[in-house]
Amino acid sequence: MATYDLTPRIAPNLDRHLVFPILEFLQERRLYEDGQILKEKIELLNKTNMVDYAMDIHKSLYHTEDVPQDMIDRRVEVVARLKALEEAAAPLVAFLQNPNAVQELKADKQYNLQMLIERYQIGTEQIEALYQYAKFQFECGNYSGAADYLYQYRALCTNSERSLSALWGKLAAEILMQNWDIALEELNRLKEIIDSKNFASPMNQVQNRIWLMHWSLFIFFNHDNGRTQIIDLFNQDKYLNAIQTSAPHLLRYLATAFIVNKRRRPQFKDFIKVVQQEQHSYKDPITEFLACVYVNYDFDGAQKKMRECEEVILNDPFLGKRVEEGNFSTVPLRDEFLENARLFIFETYCRIHQRIDMGVLAEKLNLNYEEAERWIVNLIRGSKLDAKIDSESGTVVMEPNHPNVYEQLIDHTKALSGRTYKLVSQLLEHAQAQTAR
């Protein structure tokens, strides 16, 4: 199943620290040899300040207690640099740790800068030192300290670019600490800035959206309401366009969210068109399953893809597992996916047949006869299916459902205003881009 592993596509869009949980998952699932994963970890760690962690992995990889001299030298360098940054940021850190002093701060950043200089002899150099200290703490793996200092830095910072960089760091730290509620707040804050900021070029804005969507996967598949919110974000025109042009592999996660989340079904028809359009640039068993059911009406193919989908989900770092209190535990997403996938097959199959043989249906749903009968009875009882079972003939008889002509008209025209708005927005963006040139 390493064929469907998206890590090579996803990792370049993540902060290197965010890649570590993915490598831990892949190591646990044994999709690759241990030695290969350990080498990747060391390569990542060489670009961070987590020298002790790198030493431990080196010992594990080469079965030795000795470590290279360059690692030892690097550790000495990191400790010295950390001490120097700590001293440079000390005046401002001391101020921030004083509750009475902090109360003097106001929403006006210019006032705060003037007040800090006049009363505490703290200037822009100390504020910049706090940023460097926070960044260094993050690189050392102290995500809690980094998150606190970055939050405090943003309250004082007047440089919008540096403030944006600090927000990215804060988001990464919250994700790595699994603070999903706070991480979601930071994600939304970052989205607002990205959508409203004037970037040097449109492509820079697109790239920021792509980074945001990749980082959001950690949150959306761990947060209680994440499977709804990933649709709200990824299915927005600007973000969906970014996916189609630069990151079509993200369709896997949007497709999964649509399948397990019934509350967003009105948008589903348009998404199927996207899946169909992008088959040449990206496909995997999950997107192919949707194409089989809704584009090709290939129910035998859909059944085969369902089995492949189960493996894909189990071996995907975001869909197969999630971190809870430091331990990996199986998410019931696979069960929800398979249940809803069967329902998708059944609904579509029923739309084109009035009387269905129970044995054939059981085969299409990848269930035995008794399981299929029980499953359909539960659907009928739960008012999810307008049908009845003919036990004598062993068939399911669908009740005729002819939509009212007015309902059909409304269904075909209700999206016109949205499409008009989309067209006008695109024209305005194009005009603005031309003016900027």
Side-chain angles (χ1 to χ4, degrees):
M1 292 307 294
T3 305
Y4 298 116
D5 177 31
L6 294 179
T7 303
R9 297 194 189 193
I10 289 174
N13 293 288
L14 299 175
D15 180 276
R16 61 179 61 92
H17 289 253
L18 294 175
V19 180
F20 287 113
I22 295 177
L23 293 180
E24 291 286 348
F25 172 83
L26 295 177
Q27 188 174 10
E28 181 191 296
R29 293 297 301 170
R30 298 186 177 178
L31 261 66
Y32 302 94
E33 292 182 1
D34 262 9
Q36 184 178 352
I37 296 290
L38 292 173
K39 286 178 181 177
E40 292 292 339
K41 285 183 178 179
I42 288 180
E43 187 174 342
L44 277 176
L45 287 166
N46 285 339
K47 300 170 185 176
T48 73
N49 295 327
M50 295 191 290
V51 188
D52 289 340
Y53 187 22
M55 288 179 173
D56 290 340
I57 292 178
H58 183 277
K59 292 175 184 177
S60 176
L61 177 61
Y62 296 105
H63 308 289
T64 179
E65 288 300 311
D66 298 326
V67 294
Q69 185 61 40
D70 62 335
M71 282 190 173
I72 297 172
D73 295 342
R74 171 71 174 149
R75 189 180 190 283
V76 173
E77 179 187 328
V78 167
V79 171
R81 176 65 176 158
L82 180 62
K83 186 176 181 181
L85 288 172
E86 188 175 11
E87 290 175 357
L92 183 51
V93 170
F95 168 84
L96 294 169
Q97 290 175 343
N98 183 340
N100 294 327
V102 169
Q103 286 182 358
E104 297 182 50
L105 294 174
K106 297 183 179 180
D108 185 342
K109 290 185 178 181
Q110 292 299 332
Y111 167 85
N112 291 337
L113 291 177
Q114 192 66 29
M115 183 271 292
L116 287 171
I117 292 172
E118 292 177 356
R119 300 186 191 178
Y120 297 93
Q121 292 73 54
I122 294 173
T124 54
E125 287 185 9
Q126 285 77 24
I127 294 175
E128 174 61 20
L130 180 66
Y131 173 81
Q132 296 297 338
Y133 182 51
K135 189 171 183 292
F136 204 84
Q137 289 279 7
F138 181 89
E139 293 297 339
C140 290
N142 179 11
Y143 304 124
S144 177
D148 289 342
Y149 291 135
L150 288 171
Y151 171 79
Q152 292 163 339
Y153 169 79
R154 291 192 71 244
L156 299 170
C157 175
T158 56
N159 183 316
S160 60
E161 290 297 327
R162 187 52 67 85
S163 180
L164 180 60
S165 175
L167 184 54
W168 278 106
K170 175 76 158 53
L171 173 60
E174 299 297 351
I175 289 172
L176 289 161
M177 291 188 292
Q178 304 162 44
N179 294 332
W180 305 123
D181 288 335
I182 299 174
L184 182 59
E185 291 175 8
E186 303 295 5
L187 181 79
N188 290 332
R189 191 171 288 117
L190 194 51
K191 177 185 179 296
E192 289 179 13
I193 295 173
I194 291 171
D195 288 345
S196 61
K197 185 177 183 296
N198 289 323
F199 285 84
S201 75
M203 282 309 300
N204 287 348
Q205 190 172 39
V206 170
Q207 184 59 62
N208 273 264
R209 286 182 176 133
I210 290 170
W211 288 334
L212 187 76
M213 286 188 284
H214 281 87
W215 291 36
S216 75
L217 295 175
F218 291 95
I219 302 168
F220 289 143
F221 288 102
N222 283 286
H223 194 277
D224 291 340
N225 199 33
R227 298 173 198 175
T228 297
Q229 297 195 25
I230 189 174
I231 296 175
D232 293 338
L233 177 63
F234 283 29
N235 208 50
Q236 289 181 31
D237 290 339
K238 293 176 181 178
Y239 287 83
L240 192 55
N241 288 340
I243 291 174
Q244 290 180 267
T245 56
S246 304
H249 53 276
L250 292 178
L251 290 174
R252 169 186 293 183
Y253 303 102
L254 185 52
T256 301
F258 267 116
I259 291 172
V260 300
N261 191 324
K262 299 171 188 174
R263 287 181 292 176
R264 286 295 183 272
R265 292 290 289 279
Q267 306 162 356
F268 188 59
K269 288 182 182 178
D270 289 335
F271 177 67
I272 294 299
K273 294 176 185 176
V274 173
V275 169
Q276 187 177 8
Q277 291 167 4
E278 298 302 321
Q279 281 183 312
H280 67 282
S281 60
Y282 178 78
K283 59 184 178 180
D284 64 24
I286 294 175
T287 62
E288 288 180 306
F289 167 79
L290 290 176
C292 284
V293 176
Y294 291 101
V295 179
N296 305 320
Y297 302 111
D298 177 7
F299 300 107
D300 291 333
Q303 178 189 345
K304 179 183 176 183
K305 291 301 173 186
M306 266 183 65
R307 291 193 291 269
E308 294 178 11
C309 286
E310 186 173 5
E311 289 299 315
V312 169
I313 289 170
L314 285 175
N315 290 294
D316 186 284
F318 302 103
L319 305 179
K321 299 271 188 176
R322 82 176 180 193
V323 182
E324 288 183 348
E325 298 177 355
N327 299 313
F328 284 106
S329 61
T330 303
V331 176
L333 185 144
R334 177 188 62 172
D335 298 333
E336 291 180 48
F337 183 97
L338 294 176
E339 175 71 14
N340 286 348
R342 288 192 186 100
L343 187 58
F344 281 22
I345 293 175
F346 185 70
E347 287 175 344
T348 308
Y349 194 78
C350 289
R351 277 203 301 269
I352 57 178
H353 297 85
Q354 187 174 0
R355 183 180 289 268
I356 308 163
D357 182 86
M358 187 73 76
V360 173
L361 192 57
E363 184 181 346
K364 303 295 182 191
L365 297 173
N366 199 26
L367 299 170
N368 62 42
Y369 189 94
E370 290 75 16
E371 288 173 338
E373 185 175 33
R374 187 162 55 248
W375 188 76
I376 292 167
V377 167
N378 289 335
L379 283 180
I380 295 172
R381 285 177 178 170
S383 301
K384 295 180 181 178
L385 180 65
D386 193 8
K388 61 183 179 181
I389 295 177
D390 186 339
S391 300
E392 291 185 8
S393 62
T395 58
V396 178
V397 181
M398 304 302 300
E399 296 293 339
N401 181 19
H402 304 297
N404 183 288
V405 65
Y406 298 107
E407 292 176 353
Q408 293 184 56
L409 182 62
I410 291 171
D411 185 55
H412 283 89
T413 59
K414 65 183 179 181
L416 283 177
S417 62
R419 290 173 185 167
T420 303
Y421 176 79
K422 183 193 302 186
L423 180 60
V424 171
S425 298
Q426 290 173 343
L427 288 171
L428 288 172
E429 282 187 9
H430 180 71
Q432 289 170 357
Q434 292 293 330
T435 303
R437 289 174 189 170

